[in-house]
């Protein structure tokens, strides 16, 4: 089974001035598209568009704008080699970090995706994400199809899935610092593993991961009724 690049996705990150609170945790949504670092477009019938939209109890900014998603495969021009992107941002008193991300391909057990967080005191911390634990292929086919169900959970599917990751920066000893840059590095290859990141939200103030989905409001119900299916342009398997 083979993916045919490129995917029309878009990944960009930009900070909104306000924070939102859900289920006793506070969040700072990040407008990825506005940061202008994306390289593809994302058409999301299975994921409701919103500023924010709630996925797994966490608010994310998801738009239909060009360059909402950063695709490692597109960054590499469909070829081999390490690719990387920086998303400069200002998040004070950060405790955790959520992303919406999945893979193209993705052999189980590989750790070809790295998140790095840079802080204003010149420190940084890097986290390797494992295929089949933290990340999986967007399609339920021959590649990595499992996640741990704790730090990574499913938030949308049918026909293609979207998963939400949580990085516990407080647990890593970096809680309360001021984030200035989020970096994604991919060392995979076509037919092996390539990540794409759709959206991100910073968890600020309180420590701990959200454990329950907040009560659904009428506006959220309306958004979720729009779920239909995830369309990935210029993308097919064979």
């Amino acid at each position: 089974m083979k993916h045919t690049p490129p995917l029309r996705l878009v990944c960009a990150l930009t900070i909104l001035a306000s924070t939102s609170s859900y289920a006793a945790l506070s969040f700072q949504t990040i407008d990825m598209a506005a940061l202008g670092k994306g390289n593809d477009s994302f058409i999301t019938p299975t994921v409701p568009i919103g500023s924010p939209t709630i996925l797994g109890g966490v608010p994310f900014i998801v738009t239909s704008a060009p360059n909402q998603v950063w695709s490692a495969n597109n960054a590499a021009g469909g070829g081999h080699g390490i690719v990387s992107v920086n998303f400069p941002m200002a998040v004070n008193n950060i405790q955790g970090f959520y992303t919406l991300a999945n893979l193209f391909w993705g052999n189980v057990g590989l750790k070809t995706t790295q998140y790095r967080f840079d802080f204003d005191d010149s420190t940084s911390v890097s986290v390797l994400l494992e295929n089949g634990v933290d990340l999986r292929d967007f399609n339920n086919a021959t590649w990595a199809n499992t996640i741990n169900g704790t730090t990574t959970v499913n938030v949308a599917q049918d026909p293609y899935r979207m998963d939400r990751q949580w990085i516990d920066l407080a647990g890593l000893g970096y809680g309360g610092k001021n984030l200035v840059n989020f970096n994604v590095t991919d060392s995979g290859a076509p037919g092996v593993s390539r990540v794409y990141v759709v959206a991100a939200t910073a968890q600020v103030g309180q420590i701990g991961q959200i454990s329950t989905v907040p009560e659904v409001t009428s506006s959220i119900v309306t958004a979720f009724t729009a779920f239909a299916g995830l369309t990935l342009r210029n993308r097919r398997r064979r």
Side-chain angles (χ1 to χ4, degrees), residues 28-231:
Q28 182 167 322
T29 51
I30 298 166
D31 187 348
M32 299 281 285
L35 288 181
K37 297 300 184 74
N39 55 21
D40 216 330
S41 303
F42 190 48
I43 303 174
T44 57
T46 33
V47 177
I49 302 299
S51 299
T53 186
I54 311 302
L55 294 171
V58 176
F60 290 95
I61 295 177
V62 180
T63 76
S64 59
N67 301 324
Q68 171 70 44
V69 176
W70 184 78
S71 164
N73 190 55
N74 281 6
H80 292 67
I82 297 173
V83 290
S84 183
V85 63
N86 286 309
F87 297 103
M89 60 185 68
V91 181
N92 294 334
N93 194 19
I94 194 168
Q95 302 294 339
F97 200 81
Y98 290 91
T99 59
L100 297 177
N102 282 87
L103 299 169
F104 301 145
W105 310 291
N107 289 325
V108 174
L110 291 183
K111 297 180 180 180
T112 56
T113 301
Q114 176 185 272
Y115 288 172
R116 191 188 75 234
F117 302 89
D118 302 322
F119 305 99
D120 66 355
D121 61 357
S122 298
T123 62
S124 64
V125 60
S126 295
V127 178
L128 284 173
L129 281 67
E130 182 176 348
N131 295 354
V133 177
D134 308 301
L135 293 166
R136 63 180 171 176
D137 188 60
F138 80 97
N139 195 11
N140 185 15
T142 58
W143 308 96
N145 285 310
T146 58
I147 50 177
N148 60 25
T150 54
T151 56
T152 296
V153 298
N154 178 250
V155 295
Q157 54 186 342
D158 297 328
Y160 303 118
R161 55 200 175 198
M162 177 61 62
D163 297 325
R164 189 208 73 199
Q165 296 75 31
W166 177 62
I167 307 300
D168 184 4
L169 293 173
L172 292 171
Y174 292 82
K177 293 199 173 195
N178 300 326
L179 183 70
V180 295
N181 184 67
F182 170 53
N183 171 275
V184 182
T185 297
D186 185 296
S187 58
V192 178
S193 182
R194 283 298 196 193
V195 73
Y196 66 92
V197 182
V198 175
T201 290
Q203 176 192 330
V204 298
Q206 295 102 324
I207 297 173
Q209 181 188 194
I210 191 167
S211 58
T212 58
V213 177
E215 183 177 349
V216 179
T217 66
S218 60
S219 62
I220 296 172
V221 170
T222 300
F224 271 81
T225 57
F227 278 23
L230 177 62
T231 302

